């Protein structure tokens, strides 16, 4: 038994390395990054996953066991209190059950109080000003992240936060939303679907 396990480990590592997608360079946690350092993250966010659109339903599907998703909070030009993924505003995000998800939040918003984070869990809309967060009903949280530092996007520094978590093993409908008081209520949320 032990012998066969030893054989499995290098194979699993090789698969993991081979299948690990994501932006080539990730910023160091806690430090703001320049616009030029943010650009590859924006490009990755705009292009990763497989998008689908019909009527006013927009979804971005991610497949595989290891997934990297970059969500932008309020891209310049996007409506207030929104997330952008794959050039969609607040799209549905689909990830397979049990997949290992690395989620990066890039806050591109500007102004006092334009602090944003992400909670993924069972709490469903309509939301109150403060969304109660029972630990048992959420499966991931990205802490509140500061807005950009300058009115000019090109001259700004940007704050980024990344967390890795395992999607629930049970397929189902969840939601992602911003935990800053008032933001989810104002529409800063979307569906997060755990697919079989
Ligand atoms: Cu927010």
């Amino acid at each position: 038994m032990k012998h066969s396990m030893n054989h499995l480990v290098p194979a699993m590592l090789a698969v993991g390395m081979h299948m690990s997608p994501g932006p080539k360079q990730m910023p160091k946690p806690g430090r703001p990054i320049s616009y030029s350092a943010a650009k590859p993250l924006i490009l990755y966010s705009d292009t990763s996953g497989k998008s689908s659109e019909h009527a006013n339903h927009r979804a971005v599907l991610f497949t595989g066991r290891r997934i990297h998703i970059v969500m932008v909070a309020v891209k310049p030009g996007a409506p207030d209190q929104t997330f952008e993924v794959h050039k969609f505003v607040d799209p549905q995000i689909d990830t397979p059950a049990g997949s290992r998800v690395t989620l990066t939040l890039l806050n591109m918003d500007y102004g006092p109080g334009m602090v944003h984070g992400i909670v993924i869990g069972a709490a469903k809309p309509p939301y109150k000003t403060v969304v109660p967060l029972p630990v048992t009903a959420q499966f991931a949280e990205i802490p509140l992240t500061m807005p950009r530092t300058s009115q000019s996007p090109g001259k700004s520094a940007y704050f980024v936060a990344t967390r890795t978590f395992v999607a629930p093993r049970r397929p189902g409908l969840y939601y992602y939303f911003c935990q800053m008081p008032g933001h989810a209520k104002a529409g800063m949320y979307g569906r997060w679907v755990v697919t079989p």
Side-chain angles (χ1 to χ4, degrees):
M1 204 55 181
K2 200 178 174 194
H3 183 74
S4 60
M5 283 290 281
N6 285 344
H7 273 86
L8 275 173
V9 171
M12 284 162 73
L13 284 176
V15 166
M17 282 168 69
H18 179 69
M19 290 181 65
S20 180
K24 285 203 179 78
Q25 289 185 314
M26 279 304 299
K28 292 202 167 62
R31 283 191 213 161
I33 59 173
S34 66
Y35 185 52
S36 61
K39 274 184 186 169
L41 292 182
I42 300 164
L43 178 68
Y44 180 84
S45 175
D46 283 349
T47 55
S48 64
K50 187 170 181 275
S51 64
S52 68
E53 188 174 13
H54 43 89
N56 52 12
H57 182 81
R58 297 177 177 89
V60 187
L61 170 72
F62 293 87
T63 54
R65 305 310 301 164
R66 294 162 79 93
I67 293 164
H68 197 142
I69 302 171
V70 177
M71 297 181 78
V72 177
V74 197
K75 249 188 188 180
D80 287 345
Q81 267 84 291
T82 56
F83 293 107
E84 284 71 47
V85 183
H86 214 104
K87 299 185 177 174
F88 290 151
V89 171
D90 295 332
Q92 175 177 311
I93 304 289
D94 294 347
T95 55
S99 59
R100 185 173 173 274
V101 179
T102 299
L103 178 62
T104 296
L105 173 66
L106 168 66
N107 189 352
M108 296 195 76
D109 208 356
Y110 180 66
M114 292 302 109
V115 173
H116 302 294
I118 305 171
V119 173
I120 308 167
K124 57 176 81 128
Y127 296 112
K128 299 198 164 104
T129 300
V130 174
V131 183
L133 300 177
V135 172
T136 50
Q138 66 188 77
F139 65 84
E141 180 170 359
I142 292 209
L144 290 171
T145 301
M146 299 289 284
R148 71 175 197 259
T149 55
S150 162
Q151 189 156 18
S152 163
K155 289 177 184 155
S156 258
Y158 293 89
F159 289 88
V160 173
T162 294
R163 291 289 184 274
T164 297
F165 55 89
V166 176
R169 297 193 179 283
R170 223 169 146 194
L173 171 62
Y174 298 85
Y175 292 86
Y176 64 89
F177 56 90
C178 178
Q179 70 269 47
M180 185 69 179
H183 288 192
K185 188 184 181 184
M188 198 165 189
Y189 68 88
R191 292 155 62 103
W192 191 295
V193 174
V194 173
T195 60

